[in-house]
Amino acid sequence: DLPFVLIAGPCQMESRSHALETALALKDMCDKEGVGLIYKTSFDKANRTSVAGQRGVGLEAALPVFAEIRESLGIPVLTDVHNAGQCAPVAEAVDVLQIPAFLCRQTDLLLAAGATGRAINVKKGQFLAPWDMVNVAKKIESTGNDRVMLCERGASFGYNTLVTDMRSLPIMARTGCPVVFDATHSVQQPGGQGSSSGGQREFAPVLARAAVSIGVAAVFAEAHENPDCAPSDGPNMIPLAEMPEFIATLAAFDRLSKARPLHSL
Amino acid sequence: DLPFVLIAGPCQMESRSHALETALALKDMCDKEGVGLIYKTSFDKANRTSVAGQRGVGLEAALPVFAEIRESLGIPVLTDVHNAGQCAPVAEAVDVLQIPAFLCRQTDLLLAAGATGRAINVKKGQFLAPWDMVNVAKKIESTGNDRVMLCERGASFGYNTLVTDMRSLPIMARTGCPVVFDATHSVQQPGGQGSSSGGQREFAPVLARAAVSIGVAAVFAEAHENPDCAPSDGPNMIPLAEMPEFIATLAAFDRLSKARPLHSL
Amino acid sequence: DLPFVLIAGPCQMESRSHALETALALKDMCDKEGVGLIYKTSFDKANRTSVAGQRGVGLEAALPVFAEIRESLGIPVLTDVHNAGQCAPVAEAVDVLQIPAFLCRQTDLLLAAGATGRAINVKKGQFLAPWDMVNVAKKIESTGNDRVMLCERGASFGYNTLVTDMRSLPIMARTGCPVVFDATHSVQQPGGQGSSSGGQREFAPVLARAAVSIGVAAVFAEAHENPDCAPSDGPNMIPLAEMPEFIATLAAFDRLSKARPLHSL
Amino acid sequence: DLPFVLIAGPCQMESRSHALETALALKDMCDKEGVGLIYKTSFDKANRTSVAGQRGVGLEAALPVFAEIRESLGIPVLTDVHNAGQCAPVAEAVDVLQIPAFLCRQTDLLLAAGATGRAINVKKGQFLAPWDMVNVAKKIESTGNDRVMLCERGASFGYNTLVTDMRSLPIMARTGCPVVFDATHSVQQPGGQGSSSGGQREFAPVLARAAVSIGVAAVFAEAHENPDCAPSDGPNMIPLAEMPEFIATLAAFDRLSKARPLHSL
């Protein structure tokens, strides 16, 4: 089995310079551990808890920055799309299209994303069982695109709380799709601060090392130099300064896990 | 407090004649009990479990039928919208726009729906706490449209199962918005049949009378002359033949409930 | 179907005089509405959140008071038992033995309770599905005692939260046992105050009228003249002053529900 | 941090010879990996799903066998107690008393167990939040006995399903108590086979390696030479033949985890 890849970056693109600096910083950290990096950032936060939440720089401003990160820095880029019309233009500028969890059953979006031929990372809905993701993968694969990744990011557990069922990783792997573990959204507390979501960033490394020990293709983790001042997802992002240890630890567990793979289940 | 209204119809529009016949049949039943009817049917099932699931007649075919039901039969019509672009054209032909549960936090959709000035029925996401719906209402109200209804349709409870927390009705009522109880989707078993959802239609009348006893502005219930042959949501739709008793019972409980309202909570 | 019975009283016996006064007050209220009363109070709170929680007057002090309430006041009495050895002596003094929810699968306790021949009210464990209660009933019935009542009191829903699935009432009724709805423990927030449980007493009447509308044999509700000063379960007990309206409302819904029974499911 | 200890054995004692053989087999396997073993077996299954479920050899038959395993084989022994009266006699014959999950809030049982001075392993109730276990530990510690271990074994997640929230391990560790992960009960499906519980034994190694990677003091796992024929818990026990790989893998992850401990949270 191949080593895990890190999908990381700030929740939303804040500016060109912030994007480039964060991408370079993460690239350096990953290089030191021999870990592959896919840079993640959003051009639009389309489902904020509150209408007052900051949404991001928007598609037009973001596309040239995505292109610059890919071409000048040589770092592959992932971003999320929110409607069918965005898929084709965004696919021009990035390597991986991501389907948000709330939208993981929207057929038109899945088909449009699939039709671009790009790799697709689908977040599992908080309302879905892991065995139901096979239907989601099949929707995308019906376009002839089989580059589908399935991503665990927590399941609804009572109100304002998510729980990560680690069994979902081997269950989703039965589809044959690479499985991604989203360490920072799995510790979100949806709506937990009234007009914004809370989070428990201290548990992101806990769940990430558990997932890597079980065996995943990639870990997704949002990171920011100053999460408490970030425009979104601050409570669950990992401070950039803690990322070197985060990456090194996961790399160590990943090596052990790949040397002792679980039997397929 | 006003008597409850029934929002009912087949899950998806199957044909013009089927739509008109069902609307007339339901109208007759409601008239006999003095219950107001809003006819509900979908032109597109945009988030079927499987890509092979039948999606419906589509927007263009449906709009004239919606108009005919409103104008010729005098029955107000509700249908659901799935992206911002659909809101304006659909609002021309119907009285109430409905926001699907999975999409209840998609800001652009909520704003576009609000901007039509039509009444909006928002289904509470299976992943949301009832107190989080105030943020959803505020998104719509930010357009200057305060005709917002909030609809309970079950919360995620483990895998492939929903549970109805009846406390959500008075909690959502605190917003001042009329509260709707969706009796047939609350008994859905999402993904419960592998490549389609299951349902427990026998419990729809159970939950509906509980909700009406607590006090709601409207009950939503999908109905079909032969649910087991319906193209979608068969397992949870109520057979048309059982609707007269369903309506009569709810009307009786509604009268008692409105005579003995709960203190606001 | 018979009218519902009210099982009510303070969470724990505080003194002989408090017990007699509360029993008389509740009896008066029930008589006014033609509702039967079973007086409930505990001699021991055996599973308090914290070791510092007050446990009650104990078995020896309570038994003569139970006897006095039954014999002098003519009110049937229910209390809960916590181990097999308590069943026989307690059965001498009360009409109904109650099995606490946490203990609803303890075979020896169920068998000892059953062997007394008394009616047994078993609370459904917060960790049990309603269809699993048939196994609990069968354990008791294996003693030759078929006077078993099954009681809904909420199911675990994430942390520190219970949810009432109203489907559990008709599901448990399939066993043929009378079904009881516990309105005040269903709104408990277990462990929700750190070293004691919280509660939402304002929702007890909400859930109770929903349950009665569906149809139950009895409603269970703890009541106290000053819940905020009660030694246990204060946050979820109903103030005695609110009980007359509570009882009158439930009686009205019960009459309607018994006149329009749900088909058995 | 010390290496993890394995708590293992068949769910229930079936006979003296079966107990001794299994203990020796497990001891051999653990010795090969340098892992400490505590032998676990129950003398009574006091809360079977059905009254027809086999309960075990009983206290009197088991005590001499426990003593023999400790004294002749030199293996420490753990067993579970179900009422206060059992604590003292059982403590004579074993090293660790275990409190079953359903009973984790029964004050008298916790106090009697604590009073023996033995180490106590308390299973976290399926209905409890991990932060509520501090109250359970304090009940035992009020006896002057601070040898308390807290054990994760899954939380209720909808009906007939448990989920393991891996955050519970560091949360319970905040108490200062050693934390145990029960790999085989965490994959139980309570009541999932109608009159007995189901299980997913294939996921026990998945969850165990996740827990060990996070860092635990002990792993609990029931094992049997032929689980499908075992009198209880067959669906979730690990076949004895698979235990060597199970132990070796956990030992490898434990070494890495102890070399890279998580910051306390």
Side-chain angles (χ1 to χ4, degrees):
Chain A
D1 252 345
L2 296 170
F4 89 106
V5 169
L6 184 69
I7 303 171
C11 180
Q12 63 173 256
M13 188 182 287
E14 301 178 21
S15 68
R16 173 183 168 276
S17 61
H18 183 258
L20 293 172
E21 280 162 31
T22 315
L24 274 176
L26 286 164
K27 176 76 173 144
D28 268 359
M29 296 172 189
C30 284
D31 283 350
K32 284 205 181 91
E33 301 294 336
V35 169
L37 172 70
I38 299 174
Y39 183 71
K40 183 270 162 178
T41 197
S42 294
F43 60 85
D44 183 21
K45 305 309 298 174
N47 59 26
R48 298 299 306 264
T49 302
S50 158
V51 71
Q54 208 171 307
R55 289 190 53 167
V57 300
L59 181 58
E60 277 184 53
L63 292 188
V65 184
F66 289 147
E68 189 174 355
I69 293 170
R70 288 172 78 198
E71 287 155 29
S72 309
L73 308 186
I75 304 172
V77 171
L78 170 153
T79 199
D80 43 339
V81 286
H82 314 284
N83 60 58
Q86 293 174 340
C87 293
V90 172
E92 299 285 312
V94 306
D95 302 86
V96 186
L97 295 180
Q98 181 168 286
I99 307 295
F102 291 158
L103 303 181
C104 74
R105 281 196 23 188
Q106 300 302 314
T107 307
D108 289 340
L109 178 60
L110 294 167
L111 297 182
T116 65
R118 287 292 183 196
I120 314 290
N121 183 34
V122 196
K123 300 272 188 97
K124 176 165 68 64
Q126 299 87 337
F127 45 82
L128 266 196
W131 45 84
D132 291 331
M133 286 298 283
V134 66
N135 293 309
V136 171
K138 280 184 185 167
K139 284 188 186 180
I140 298 172
E141 290 164 2
S142 76
T143 65
N145 181 346
D146 63 357
R147 300 174 61 206
V148 181
M149 299 183 280
L150 302 179
C151 180
E152 169 65 36
R153 51 90 78 236
S156 288
F157 184 61
Y159 293 135
N160 301 313
T161 308
L162 300 174
V163 69
T164 301
D165 182 354
M166 290 288 167
R167 292 172 296 194
S168 69
L169 304 174
I171 290 172
M172 293 198 296
R174 289 174 189 160
T175 60
C177 299
V179 171
V180 182
F181 178 66
D182 178 343
T184 49
H185 290 94
S186 294
V187 299
Q188 231 180 9
Q189 297 172 311
Q193 301 186 340
S195 61
S196 66
S197 288
Q200 300 176 304
R201 78 169 71 109
E202 67 275 23
F203 289 116
V206 175
L207 298 184
R209 66 158 74 190
V212 164
S213 301
I214 291 169
V216 290
V219 169
F220 176 111
E222 292 185 344
H224 194 276
E225 76 285 358
N226 187 359
D228 291 336
C229 297
S232 52
D233 278 33
N236 52 303
M237 278 198 283
I238 299 175
L240 216 46
E242 297 178 12
M243 287 299 285
E245 186 186 328
F246 179 79
I247 297 166
T249 299
L250 296 187
F253 278 97
D254 185 62
R255 282 187 294 271
L256 179 56
S257 173
K258 299 290 160 66
R260 286 185 169 272
L262 280 159
H263 306 300
S264 60
L265 291 170
Chain B
D1 252 345
L2 296 171
F4 88 107
V5 169
L6 185 69
I7 302 170
C11 179
Q12 62 173 256
M13 188 182 287
E14 301 178 21
S15 69
R16 173 182 169 277
S17 61
H18 184 258
L20 294 172
E21 280 161 31
T22 315
L24 274 176
L26 287 164
K27 177 75 174 143
D28 268 359
M29 295 172 190
C30 285
D31 284 350
K32 284 204 182 93
E33 300 295 336
V35 168
L37 172 70
I38 299 174
Y39 183 70
K40 184 271 162 179
T41 197
S42 295
F43 60 84
D44 183 22
K45 307 308 299 175
N47 59 27
R48 298 299 305 265
T49 302
S50 158
V51 72
Q54 209 171 305
R55 289 191 52 168
V57 300
L59 181 58
E60 278 185 51
L63 292 188
V65 184
F66 289 146
E68 189 173 355
I69 293 170
R70 289 172 77 198
E71 289 154 27
S72 309
L73 307 186
I75 304 172
V77 171
L78 170 152
T79 199
D80 43 340
V81 286
H82 315 284
N83 61 57
Q86 293 173 340
C87 293
V90 172
E92 299 285 313
V94 306
D95 302 86
V96 186
L97 295 180
Q98 180 168 285
I99 307 296
F102 291 159
L103 303 181
C104 74
R105 281 198 21 189
Q106 301 300 315
T107 307
D108 289 340
L109 177 60
L110 295 166
L111 297 182
T116 66
R118 288 290 184 198
I120 314 290
N121 182 34
V122 196
K123 300 273 188 97
K124 176 165 69 63
Q126 299 86 337
F127 45 83
L128 267 196
W131 45 83
D132 291 331
M133 286 298 283
V134 67
N135 292 309
V136 170
K138 280 184 185 166
K139 284 188 185 179
I140 298 172
E141 291 163 1
S142 76
T143 66
N145 181 345
D146 62 358
R147 300 174 61 207
V148 181
M149 299 182 281
L150 302 179
C151 180
E152 169 65 37
R153 51 91 77 236
S156 288
F157 184 60
Y159 293 134
N160 302 314
T161 309
L162 299 173
V163 70
T164 301
D165 182 353
M166 290 288 166
R167 292 172 296 194
S168 70
L169 304 174
I171 290 171
M172 293 198 295
R174 290 174 189 160
T175 59
C177 298
V179 171
V180 182
F181 178 65
D182 177 343
T184 49
H185 289 94
S186 294
V187 299
Q188 230 180 10
Q189 297 172 310
Q193 301 187 341
S195 61
S196 66
S197 289
Q200 300 176 304
R201 79 168 71 108
E202 67 275 23
F203 289 116
V206 175
L207 298 184
R209 66 158 74 189
V212 164
S213 301
I214 292 169
V216 291
V219 170
F220 176 111
E222 291 184 344
H224 194 276
E225 76 285 356
N226 188 359
D228 292 335
C229 297
S232 52
D233 278 33
N236 52 302
M237 278 198 283
I238 299 175
L240 216 45
E242 297 178 11
M243 287 299 284
E245 187 187 328
F246 180 79
I247 297 166
T249 299
L250 296 187
F253 278 97
D254 185 62
R255 282 187 295 271
L256 179 55
S257 173
K258 298 291 159 65
R260 287 185 169 272
L262 280 159
H263 306 300
S264 59
L265 293 168
Chain C
D1 252 346
L2 296 171
F4 89 105
V5 169
L6 184 69
I7 302 171
C11 179
Q12 64 175 253
M13 188 182 288
E14 300 178 22
S15 69
R16 174 183 167 276
S17 61
H18 183 258
L20 293 172
E21 279 162 30
T22 315
L24 274 176
L26 286 164
K27 177 75 173 145
D28 268 359
M29 296 171 189
C30 284
D31 284 349
K32 285 202 182 93
E33 300 295 335
V35 168
L37 172 70
I38 298 175
Y39 183 71
K40 183 270 162 179
T41 197
S42 295
F43 60 84
D44 183 22
K45 308 308 299 175
N47 59 25
R48 298 299 305 265
T49 301
S50 158
V51 71
Q54 208 170 306
R55 291 189 52 166
V57 300
L59 180 60
E60 276 185 52
L63 292 186
V65 184
F66 290 145
E68 189 174 354
I69 293 169
R70 289 172 78 198
E71 288 155 27
S72 309
L73 308 185
I75 304 171
V77 171
L78 170 152
T79 200
D80 44 339
V81 286
H82 314 284
N83 61 57
Q86 292 174 341
C87 293
V90 172
E92 300 284 311
V94 305
D95 302 85
V96 186
L97 295 180
Q98 181 169 284
I99 308 294
F102 292 158
L103 303 182
C104 75
R105 281 198 21 189
Q106 301 301 315
T107 307
D108 288 340
L109 177 60
L110 294 167
L111 297 181
T116 66
R118 286 292 184 197
I120 314 289
N121 182 36
V122 196
K123 300 271 189 96
K124 176 165 69 63
Q126 299 87 336
F127 45 83
L128 265 196
W131 45 83
D132 292 330
M133 286 298 282
V134 66
N135 293 309
V136 171
K138 279 184 186 167
K139 283 188 185 179
I140 298 172
E141 290 163 2
S142 77
T143 66
N145 181 347
D146 62 359
R147 301 174 60 207
V148 181
M149 299 182 281
L150 302 180
C151 179
E152 169 65 38
R153 51 92 77 235
S156 288
F157 183 60
Y159 293 133
N160 301 314
T161 308
L162 300 173
V163 69
T164 301
D165 182 353
M166 290 288 167
R167 293 173 295 195
S168 70
L169 304 174
I171 290 171
M172 293 198 296
R174 289 174 189 159
T175 59
C177 298
V179 171
V180 182
F181 178 65
D182 178 344
T184 48
H185 290 93
S186 293
V187 299
Q188 231 181 9
Q189 296 172 311
Q193 302 188 339
S195 61
S196 66
S197 289
Q200 300 176 303
R201 77 169 72 109
E202 67 274 25
F203 290 115
V206 175
L207 298 184
R209 67 158 75 190
V212 164
S213 301
I214 291 169
V216 291
V219 169
F220 176 112
E222 291 184 345
H224 194 275
E225 76 285 357
N226 188 358
D228 293 335
C229 297
S232 51
D233 278 33
N236 52 304
M237 277 198 284
I238 299 175
L240 216 45
E242 297 177 11
M243 287 299 284
E245 187 187 328
F246 180 79
I247 296 167
T249 299
L250 295 187
F253 279 97
D254 185 62
R255 282 188 294 271
L256 179 55
S257 172
K258 298 292 160 65
R260 287 183 169 274
L262 281 159
H263 305 301
S264 60
L265 294 167
Chain D
D1 252 345
L2 296 171
F4 89 106
V5 169
L6 184 69
I7 302 171
C11 180
Q12 63 174 253
M13 187 181 289
E14 301 178 21
S15 69
R16 174 184 167 274
S17 61
H18 183 258
L20 294 172
E21 279 162 31
T22 314
L24 274 176
L26 286 164
K27 176 75 174 146
D28 268 359
M29 296 172 189
C30 284
D31 284 349
K32 283 204 181 93
E33 301 294 336
V35 168
L37 172 70
I38 298 175
Y39 183 71
K40 183 271 163 180
T41 198
S42 295
F43 60 84
D44 183 21
K45 307 309 298 176
N47 59 25
R48 298 299 305 264
T49 301
S50 159
V51 71
Q54 208 171 307
R55 290 189 53 166
V57 300
L59 181 58
E60 276 184 51
L63 292 188
V65 184
F66 289 146
E68 189 174 353
I69 293 169
R70 289 173 78 199
E71 287 155 26
S72 308
L73 308 186
I75 305 172
V77 171
L78 170 153
T79 200
D80 43 339
V81 286
H82 315 284
N83 61 57
Q86 291 173 340
C87 293
V90 172
E92 300 283 312
V94 306
D95 302 86
V96 186
L97 295 181
Q98 180 168 285
I99 308 295
F102 292 158
L103 304 181
C104 75
R105 281 197 22 188
Q106 300 302 315
T107 307
D108 288 340
L109 177 59
L110 294 167
L111 297 181
T116 65
R118 286 293 184 196
I120 314 290
N121 182 36
V122 196
K123 300 272 189 95
K124 176 165 69 63
Q126 299 87 336
F127 45 83
L128 266 196
W131 46 82
D132 291 331
M133 286 297 283
V134 66
N135 292 309
V136 170
K138 280 185 185 167
K139 284 188 185 179
I140 299 172
E141 290 162 1
S142 76
T143 66
N145 181 346
D146 62 358
R147 300 174 61 207
V148 181
M149 300 181 280
L150 302 179
C151 180
E152 169 64 38
R153 51 91 77 236
S156 287
F157 184 61
Y159 293 134
N160 301 313
T161 308
L162 300 173
V163 68
T164 301
D165 181 354
M166 290 288 166
R167 293 172 295 194
S168 70
L169 304 174
I171 290 172
M172 293 199 295
R174 290 173 188 160
T175 59
C177 298
V179 171
V180 182
F181 178 65
D182 177 344
T184 49
H185 290 93
S186 293
V187 299
Q188 232 180 9
Q189 297 172 310
Q193 302 188 339
S195 61
S196 66
S197 288
Q200 299 176 303
R201 77 169 72 110
E202 66 276 23
F203 290 115
V206 175
L207 298 184
R209 67 159 74 190
V212 164
S213 300
I214 291 168
V216 290
V219 170
F220 177 110
E222 292 184 345
H224 194 276
E225 76 285 357
N226 186 359
D228 292 335
C229 297
S232 52
D233 278 35
N236 52 303
M237 278 199 283
I238 299 175
L240 216 45
E242 297 177 11
M243 287 299 284
E245 187 186 328
F246 180 80
I247 297 167
T249 298
L250 295 187
F253 279 97
D254 185 62
R255 282 187 295 270
L256 179 56
S257 173
K258 299 291 160 65
R260 286 183 169 274
L262 282 159
H263 307 300
S264 60
L265 293 168

